[in-house]
Amino acid sequence: MNSTSFHIYNASAGSGKTYTLVKEYLKVVFQSSSIEPYRHILAITFTNKAVSEMKTRIISTLKAFSAEEILESSNAMFKAICKELQMQPITLHNKSKTILNNIVRNYAAFDISTIDKFTQKLIRTFAYDLKLPMNFEVELDTETLLNKAVDNLIAKAGSEVALTKVLIDFAIEKADEDKSWDVSLDFYKIAKLLVNENDIPFIKTLEGKSLEDFKLLKTNLTKKGQEIENAIKEKAQSMLTLFEECGLDFSDFSGSYLPKHFKNLSEQRFNLNFDAKWQEDLETKTLYPKRVSADVANTINEIQPQIVSVFKETEQFVFQFKFFKSLLKNITPLSVLNAIHKELEALKKEQNIILISEFNSIISAEIKAQPAPFIYERIGEKFKHFFIDEFQDTSVLQWENLIPLIDNSLSGENGSLMLVGDAKQAIYRWRGGKANQFIHLCNESSNPFFIQPEIENLPF
């Protein structure tokens, strides 16, 4: 292309995005002075079917442009490219034949691939640096492997005391929640977290933790929760005792809200509303109805600072108690998740495989630590033009891994980037895709490149 460019196309289903992708791809090819211009183009999409479709469309278009009939009866794309490139039809026709012949002779360099395949290429390139076995296999069927890891874990029940205790606790907790005691289905659901790109960083924080570590944590959380529970009851009971010593009845307070509130807390009923209307401005508002005697009013006014202080203190305690309860509720599932993770790692080591879901996180640190020219040198290619289809399905890590390469291209001469996407069609969120990434990229603050994008909606 004559200058560096960055285009974003917002393309809904049926809007002609493939036509646009093919046309823009061919424009780059036709403008190049290289006899193999496609070597410097990386076109990425998300499924093998989409890759096949794009390759087929490009080859069939070149084939049509190479036919002699095109000069007599040209199609819409041929006319559009001639016009936009200000190129004579005969020149475009001859270039098409040359490029088509070169692609046929060197089809492997015709680099249109899925983003997973490109990431796998990077991983194999940096396998030594990443301390990975050079002959590792890629496992696409993650579900089968997860199920095997779960089955292996369940098979150990009864033979390992600590593990058996955790599995029993899990089943009991599910039963207490009126859910099925059959834990295998729940284990399979939990295991899917292990292959979710967004969850992998958090899973890694559990590495090295044993069942004993989780047991100790559960004991400590239970103890702390009990201490907070006792503190709430004591504080609440102290207020009820104060009311009694001051000769105050529940009816002496507006709506009896305050004494009822403290009574609930003293009886361990903590599922209370702490943003009710009657709780506003307790420091300054009148806490009693007009019908009470002057003595009662004076007494309540005198102890109002104590009431407010204890109310706020117990409010904080209740929030802490609920937090600890939530933590406790997740300790057993987390210990199970960690146990499944260890089974999964054992299977991967035994079978010498890497899950496809791990690609992006594995390569991320290595890519970020290396300059783009070095990466290009290692993979043996220098891409100047990037085409990314279905960008709304690109995960955060996938995009971050591509940014150094794209930025190097856009920072040089005649580099280009074309993104096509539709936030409404985000389908791979379970793989870490975030539709907002596509939306925010249109904003200047979210653009990682020095050049601002030209944004167009399809169809034109």
Side-chain angles (χ1 to χ4, degrees):
M1 302 182 79
N2 294 327
S3 61
T4 300
S5 64
F6 178 11
H7 284 88
I8 296 178
Y9 289 93
N10 190 5
S12 300
S15 61
K17 66 165 187 169
T18 305
Y19 173 90
T20 303
L21 276 166
V22 170
K23 186 184 75 168
E24 295 302 316
Y25 183 99
L26 289 176
K27 282 170 62 178
V28 170
V29 168
F30 290 136
Q31 286 191 116
S32 175
S33 58
S34 169
I35 60 172
E36 295 182 329
Y38 45 86
R39 279 187 172 276
H40 305 297
I41 302 174
L42 177 63
I44 288 175
T45 187
F46 279 81
T47 65
N48 290 323
K49 181 179 179 181
V51 167
S52 177
E53 180 184 1
M54 191 179 299
K55 280 191 170 185
T56 300
R57 287 285 291 272
I58 290 172
I59 294 296
S60 61
T61 301
L62 285 171
K63 187 176 179 181
F65 286 7
S66 300
E68 299 299 329
E69 297 81 35
I70 198 72
L71 298 174
E72 300 174 4
S73 179
S74 59
N75 59 35
M77 186 178 290
F78 188 86
K79 289 179 180 178
I81 293 177
C82 284
K83 180 179 180 181
E84 292 175 27
L85 296 184
Q86 297 183 336
M87 187 176 289
Q88 291 297 318
I90 186 64
T91 303
L92 189 63
H93 168 66
N94 290 332
K95 277 204 165 193
S96 297
K97 289 194 289 184
T98 301
I99 292 168
L100 180 61
N101 288 333
N102 284 333
I103 289 178
V104 170
R105 289 199 302 268
N106 193 10
Y107 193 76
F110 184 35
D111 214 337
I112 298 175
S113 71
T114 64
I115 194 164
D116 285 331
K117 184 178 178 182
F118 179 69
T119 308
Q120 182 183 351
K121 181 178 181 180
L122 289 176
I123 287 181
R124 291 200 180 277
T125 299
F126 288 93
Y128 178 79
D129 308 74
L130 296 168
K131 297 179 175 59
L132 298 174
M134 299 301 292
N135 60 339
F136 71 83
E137 296 294 331
V138 178
E139 180 55 64
L140 302 178
D141 188 3
T142 56
E143 186 171 345
T144 298
L145 200 66
L146 289 177
N147 289 344
K148 177 64 175 173
V150 169
D151 291 341
N152 288 355
L153 180 71
I154 295 176
K156 292 182 178 179
S159 60
E160 297 185 12
V161 177
L163 176 61
T164 302
K165 176 68 167 58
V166 168
L167 299 183
I168 292 174
D169 287 346
F170 188 91
I172 291 174
E173 288 174 13
K174 301 303 290 185
D176 288 342
E177 295 173 6
D178 292 328
K179 295 182 179 179
S180 172
W181 58 268
D182 183 1
V183 297
S184 58
L185 182 60
D186 295 292
F187 287 175
Y188 294 138
K189 290 179 180 178
I190 290 174
K192 289 182 179 180
L193 295 173
L194 299 173
V195 294
N196 188 314
E197 187 175 290
N198 293 330
D199 295 315
I200 288 176
F202 303 103
I203 301 299
K204 287 186 177 296
T205 63
L206 300 178
E207 289 182 356
K209 303 298 181 185
S210 65
L211 292 177
E212 189 62 33
D213 293 327
F214 285 101
K215 179 182 177 182
L216 180 60
L217 177 59
K218 188 173 184 178
T219 300
N220 291 337
L221 289 176
T222 301
K223 181 180 178 181
K224 185 64 176 178
Q226 187 62 54
E227 291 173 356
I228 295 173
E229 183 178 7
N230 291 337
I232 296 170
K233 290 191 292 183
E234 289 173 7
K235 291 286 184 181
Q237 187 58 52
S238 71
M239 290 310 303
L240 294 175
T241 301
L242 178 62
F243 296 158
E244 186 178 348
E245 291 174 348
C246 293
L248 298 174
D249 295 326
F250 280 24
S251 60
D252 291 332
F253 293 87
S254 298
S256 302
Y257 292 126
L258 269 168
K260 287 180 180 177
H261 177 81
F262 288 121
K263 183 173 177 57
N264 281 328
L265 293 180
S266 70
E267 295 175 351
Q268 299 174 255
R269 291 194 288 269
F270 299 153
N271 192 24
L272 303 175
N273 182 8
F274 279 92
D275 56 3
K277 186 71 176 177
W278 66 267
Q279 298 172 3
E280 296 177 359
D281 304 317
L282 286 179
E283 296 92 340
T284 57
K285 74 189 304 181
T286 301
L287 303 181
Y288 48 84
K290 293 181 179 180
R291 57 178 169 74
V292 302
S293 65
D295 288 341
V296 168
N298 289 334
T299 300
I300 293 178
N301 285 335
E302 287 179 7
I303 66 173
Q304 187 165 356
Q306 290 174 261
I307 294 173
V308 173
S309 176
V310 173
F311 179 89
K312 289 186 175 181
E313 198 171 358
T314 53
E315 179 183 29
Q316 291 302 313
F317 278 150
V318 169
F319 288 154
Q320 290 178 28
F321 179 78
K322 289 181 177 179
F323 175 71
F324 278 102
K325 289 288 285 185
S326 295
L327 285 178
L328 272 171
K329 185 179 179 180
N330 288 291
I331 292 300
T332 303
L334 278 175
S335 59
V336 170
L337 177 63
N338 197 44
I340 297 173
H341 184 220
K342 290 180 179 179
E343 294 297 330
L344 180 62
E345 290 300 308
L347 284 173
K348 285 163 50 184
K349 184 176 181 180
E350 175 188 327
Q351 300 178 27
N352 194 30
I353 59 176
I354 294 177
L355 299 179
I356 193 171
S357 56
E358 298 176 288
F359 279 8
N360 299 307
S361 56
I362 288 175
I363 200 64
S364 178
E366 189 66 28
I367 285 290
K368 289 177 181 177
Q370 303 292 353
F374 176 70
I375 298 169
Y376 284 134
E377 181 183 338
R378 291 289 292 272
I379 63 178
E381 298 288 352
K382 174 63 170 75
F383 298 114
K384 295 186 66 177
H385 307 283
F386 293 82
F387 292 81
I388 304 179
D389 188 18
E390 305 291 357
F391 183 77
Q392 75 279 352
D393 295 325
T394 307
S395 74
V396 173
L397 278 179
Q398 285 172 334
W399 179 231
E400 288 179 351
N401 290 345
L402 287 169
I403 285 175
L405 302 180
I406 296 173
D407 185 59
N408 182 264
S409 169
L410 297 182
S411 299
E413 293 184 359
N414 301 325
S416 69
L417 169 62
M418 176 179 170
L419 305 178
V420 180
D422 178 14
K424 299 188 296 297
Q425 296 186 65
I427 59 174
Y428 285 133
R429 296 188 68 177
W430 61 275
R431 287 276 304 279
K434 291 186 178 180
N436 284 340
Q437 185 169 246
F438 176 60
I439 297 171
H440 293 162
L441 191 60
C442 299
N443 301 329
E444 185 174 344
S445 59
S446 300
N447 179 13
F449 312 116
F450 77 94
I451 182 174
Q452 291 304 308
E454 296 181 32
I455 304 169
E456 298 183 48
N457 294 316
L458 295 177
F460 300 106

